[in-house]
Amino acid sequence: MAVHTRQSTLVNAVQKESEDFIQLANSSEDEEDEEEQDAAVTSSSNNNSHKRKADDGAEGDSEGQGGVYEKCYNGQPVPPWLMGMARLGKGKNPDISEMINEEVSKFVDYISPTPEEHQMRVWVIERMQRVLNNMKMISVTPVAKCFGSFETRMYLPTSDIDMTIMLFREGSTKVAASYQTKEAIRRYLFTLARELKRAGFCSKCEVIAHARVPIIKTHEMVTGIAVDISINADSGVQSAGVQRSFSERVYPHSLRAIVLAIKQFLAQRSMNEVYTGGMGSYAITLLAVSMLQKHPRLQSGGLDIPKNLGVLLIEFFELYGKRFNYDKCCVSVLEKGHYLDKRSKGFLNHAQPYLLSVEDPCDRTNDVTKGTFGITRIRQTFGGAYDLISNAIFAYHQTRKFGEPMNDSLKWLATHSNDDGSSSATSVPSKKRLKALDGKAKNKKGGGPSVFNDDPYAPVSFLSSILSVDRSVIASRAKLVKTFYQGSLQKILGVEYQPKLTNLLPSAPANAAVTETEGGASAQEKINKMDFDFVRASKPVCPSVRSDPVLISDDDDEDGEYKGGVIEIEDDDDA
């Protein structure tokens, strides 16, 4: 069985990752903790600043360089998206914009779901549809439709699946009249939650019945993937179509990369959920599109977008963190993009004039970000991200010219990170404090060697100043890929996969067999490109789904009656 290349990357990197949560407010750590951390960083850096692990069978990404680097140029851990690589860019003194552009591409390649991860989500949707098919509804045809980031292919590995169940009138594409009221939808949610449990789709369902849009929140049992289920919410399907149009037709080589980086930036800071005041995927996409539409060099045709992804990402943080007028302007992406007056548009909230306003291109009367009440914190975080990544660039530029940053603040920021290489800096100490820390480190180490590596091909990461991928994310991805190859979900659905291997060596057979050994992947596996061809069985076998259909009607609300608050339907025999 051949295992996808990135599966090995995920599994191997588990031991190297640690959790990261960067706040851009003032640090609350006391002086003693800072001193211990500074001493630990100095000690680690002195021992590893010039160390590389030999690898006779590999060649570095840069010219004439072999082996695998353990540390970046500033003595900090290599982030997972640059693991096993030398410094990006061509030659000994590459252009910094070229380096950060390549790093954004490497990050997107790393964070994008693998074919196995994506197929598991497809099968989760298929399993949901089979549960719906087993619920024999009178004159109603339930259809599971996805929207949100999964439908637009701009989702993170840890993102949930946003799904709506369209209850169509039998033989029609119109919603059944008996399921057009909120009360009927709530009753159906409880019925569906019970059936999902009985079918083995999940072990627990959380029914949020009295929300503006009633939903079920649950996790599929085999994969652990989170699923949010709404009823007859076709507006989400329309917005997904808008996002796909922009990402696949208008900006096919740039929008997805920018949106994924921003989504990860917000997700690791818990600012990506709208119900907690965060910013959702739809709003992020519209903001990125607006920036690209209004960019003066793009309007004049003087900027090659695919070669400037890093610069555009930085400019996004600058625009919405430091420049945009939140009090007066409303973002619109219609008619090639423009800014509207919030008051004239009717989106001005007099009690909270600082809120962000984004016109919904699917419904011009809808403000997409009216629920993002945490925009002040998000705005500050965007501005802080611009400062951090700019400082990381300046620090590397000065190191390349002078051997280390000439500015004490830049030096401090460049050498303070978490175990995964992401910046741990939350604020820059005062000059007095910097001088005290620097003198204390020199006294403890006797003025040891600089932490900055003079190897011109040592890895350089600018994105790690604002982005990280923690150990729990890597472990969950590795677990999902492992579940894929165990075939648990395939057995439930009665499907099988048959990987077709395309050999890249002309001297070898076209479909040479590749096996997995105890010592790891074979040499043949490394030179084969996998092209999965998923074949569905003609007669699916679903052992976890009841064979007898469930008859439901509008009055089927037994033991699921809403009593107020959030309803959690637990495992029990009487449900």
Side-chain angles (χ1 to χ4, degrees), residues 91-110:
K92 289 188 176 181
N93 294 294
D95 186 76
I96 290 181
S97 63
E98 176 188 344
M99 294 171 63
I100 192 171
N101 185 72
E102 285 190 40
E103 187 177 3
V104 170
S105 298
K106 296 293 184 184
F107 174 80
V108 172
D109 289 342
Y110 176 82

Side-chain angles (χ1 to χ4, degrees), residues 452-524:
F452 294 93
N453 195 334
D454 57 5
D455 183 346
Y457 292 100
V460 179
S461 175
F462 302 117
L463 290 184
S464 61
S465 63
I466 60 170
L467 295 176
S468 72
V469 181
D470 64 47
R471 182 171 52 190
S472 63
V473 173
I474 296 175
S476 65
R477 295 186 71 181
K479 181 180 179 181
L480 186 62
V481 173
K482 181 179 178 181
T483 303
F484 174 89
Y485 284 101
Q486 288 175 339
S488 304
L489 192 55
Q490 294 93 309
K491 292 178 182 177
I492 293 174
L493 294 175
V495 299
E496 60 182 17
Y497 65 97
Q498 297 176 349
K500 294 182 179 179
L501 306 178
T502 303
N503 199 308
L504 302 181
L505 292 184
S507 60
N511 286 310
V514 177
T515 58
E516 192 173 350
T517 62
E518 292 182 358
S522 65
Q524 183 66 38

Side-chain angles (χ1 to χ4, degrees), residues 519-551:
S522 65
Q524 183 66 38
E525 179 180 344
K526 296 179 181 179
I527 61 173
N528 280 282
K529 180 181 179 181
M530 295 173 55
D531 179 19
F532 290 104
D533 180 22
F534 296 96
V535 181
R536 179 165 299 167
S538 57
K539 293 183 179 180
V541 179
C542 305
S544 64
V545 181
R546 295 187 314 173
S547 58
D548 55 315
V550 179
L551 298 176

Side-chain angles (χ1 to χ4, degrees), residues 188-374:
Y188 179 77
L189 283 175
F190 290 113
T191 302
L192 177 60
R194 290 195 298 272
E195 181 57 21
L196 289 174
K197 246 175 29 67
R198 290 180 181 134
F201 182 91
C202 59
S203 60
K204 178 180 178 181
C205 285
E206 182 183 4
V207 182
I208 307 178
H210 277 210
R212 185 173 64 89
V213 178
I215 62 171
I216 294 175
K217 298 182 74 69
T218 188
H219 290 77
E220 198 276 331
M221 184 154 332
V222 176
T223 62
I225 294 175
V227 183
D228 289 353
I229 307 168
S230 59
I231 307 297
N232 296 334
D234 57 349
S235 60
V237 179
Q238 296 174 8
S239 64
V242 171
Q243 294 179 76
R244 291 198 68 171
S245 178
F246 277 118
S247 64
E248 296 177 2
R249 300 178 184 177
V250 186
Y251 303 106
H253 305 296
S254 58
L255 184 60
R256 183 174 182 272
I258 295 172
V259 170
L260 281 178
I262 297 166
K263 287 187 67 173
Q264 177 64 19
F265 174 82
L266 292 176
Q268 71 189 51
R269 293 161 176 80
S270 300
M271 298 180 181
N272 61 324
E273 295 290 351
V274 178
Y275 69 88
T276 60
M279 184 177 294
S281 177
Y282 191 30
I284 294 172
T285 302
L286 295 179
L287 289 180
V289 168
S290 175
M291 182 197 72
L292 295 174
Q293 289 175 330
K294 304 296 291 182
H295 198 291
R297 291 191 62 189
L298 288 178
Q299 290 179 336
S300 64
L303 186 68
D304 189 348
I305 297 180
K307 294 182 179 179
N308 291 275
L309 295 177
V311 173
L312 290 171
L313 178 62
I314 296 173
E315 290 180 340
F316 178 94
F317 290 127
E318 180 185 19
L319 172 62
Y320 296 109
K322 295 179 175 291
R323 309 295 181 191
F324 188 77
N325 189 334
Y326 287 78
D327 292 342
K328 295 184 178 180
C329 293
C330 168
V331 173
S332 174
V333 298
L334 295 175
E335 302 172 2
K336 296 184 178 180
H338 51 279
Y339 294 141
L340 305 173
D341 179 70
K342 285 175 65 173
R343 185 184 297 273
S344 301
K345 182 67 177 175
F347 286 173
L348 178 64
N349 185 332
H350 294 279
Q352 298 173 302
Y354 55 84
L355 292 179
L356 174 65
S357 292
V358 179
E359 180 189 62
D360 188 347
C362 299
D363 179 5
R364 304 188 72 166
T365 63
N366 179 42
D367 183 357
V368 174
T369 54
K370 61 178 176 291
T372 307
F373 55 82

Side-chain angles (χ1 to χ4, degrees), residues 38 391 395 398 404-416 425 427-439 442 452:
D38 189 87
N391 287 335
Q398 292 183 3
E404 66 179 23
M406 303 302 292
N407 182 287
D408 288 338
S409 298
L410 293 182
K411 186 185 299 184
W412 189 88
L413 287 168
T415 56
H416 283 67
S427 62
V428 180
S430 64
K431 290 184 177 180
K432 182 177 180 181
R433 179 62 178 157
L434 282 169
K435 186 175 180 180
L437 291 172
D438 185 57
K442 288 182 178 179
F452 294 93

